Amino acid sequence: HTAFAKLTGCRVPIQLAAMPVVSLELATSVAGAGGLAMFSGLRASATYLADMLDHVADRTGARAGVNFIIRFLDRETLKTVAPRASVVEFFYSDPDPALVELAHAGGALACWHIGSREEAIAAERAGCDLVAAQGIEAGGHVRGTIGLFPLLAQVLEAVRIPVIASGGIGTARSMAAALAAGA
C-alpha cells in the first residue's frame, strides 16, 4: 500500500519503464499483474497509442500510461491519448503547466520524469500528480546526474506528491530499498 498505488489504482507499486521496445504482451502482463503498464510516445502515432491503451484495458480492466519526450511531443497525440491513459508522463524538459493541464483535461494523471530536486519542486508547482525520480543508473535517456538513492533523499524531502524511483531497480532488494526510502 503506497501513495503511488493508491493514486494510480494499481495493486502493486510497480511502473513499467516506457521504452519504445515495450511489447504489447509485456505491457499487458504488467497491467494484469497489478502494475502500471507504460508505452513510449516517442514517434508513435495517436492511433497506435490509442490501440495499445485500449488493448491493455480490454484484456486486463486496467488503464495504462504513455510517456512523452518533450522534444518529440505532438500535442494532438497527447489530446487523443490522455482520455484513455491512466498516467501521462513527460520527460526531458523543464516542467510545463500547460502540458500538465492538457493531461488533466483528458482525465489522466500527470507525471514528470525528473533528475533533480529542483525539477521535482517545479513539477509539483506545475500541477503534477506525481514525479518519477531518475538516477544515473537508468538506461536510455538519462536526466539525473546523481545516483537514485541520493536523489530520492533530496526529492522525498522536497515534495508532497508521490515519488517513483526510476533507474536501477532490478532486484527484490533494490525494490525493498526504494520502498523503505519512501518511494
Side-chain angles (χ1 to χ4, degrees), residues 2-180:
T2 66
F4 166 81
K6 183 177 179 181
L7 181 65
T8 61
C10 293
R11 292 188 319 274
V12 295
I14 294 176
Q15 176 178 313
L16 176 63
M19 302 168 288
V21 297
V22 168
S23 69
L24 187 55
E25 180 181 25
L26 176 59
T28 303
S29 295
V30 169
L36 178 60
M38 293 291 289
F39 292 100
S40 171
L42 183 63
R43 298 187 177 124
S45 72
T47 302
Y48 171 80
L49 291 170
D51 288 348
M52 298 299 103
L53 293 167
D54 290 347
H55 177 88
V56 169
D58 291 345
R59 298 290 189 285
T60 67
R63 293 171 64 200
V66 177
N67 170 287
F68 292 101
I69 295 176
I70 299 300
R71 189 165 110 200
F72 303 104
L73 173 65
D74 176 77
R75 288 176 187 253
E76 291 306 311
T77 299
L78 170 58
K79 289 177 187 177
T80 299
V81 302
R84 290 177 162 88
S86 172
V87 174
V88 172
E89 185 176 77
F90 301 101
F91 186 47
Y92 233 81
S93 182
D94 294 330
D96 182 346
L99 293 176
V100 172
E101 190 174 306
L102 284 175
H104 286 159
L109 297 169
C111 178
W112 212 278
H113 219 93
I114 58 93
S116 70
R117 176 185 181 279
E118 294 72 28
E119 268 189 318
I121 293 168
E124 186 173 49
R125 284 188 186 141
C128 285
D129 303 289
L130 63 162
V131 293
Q134 183 193 61
I136 59 172
E137 301 88 346
H141 297 90
V142 178
R143 189 78 170 166
T145 58
I146 63 174
L148 175 61
F149 288 99
L151 177 61
L152 282 176
Q154 293 176 13
V155 171
L156 286 164
E157 286 189 0
V159 299
R160 291 186 306 259
I161 57 178
V163 177
I164 302 166
S166 174
I169 305 293
T171 66
R173 282 187 178 171
S174 59
M175 178 69 179
L179 290 170

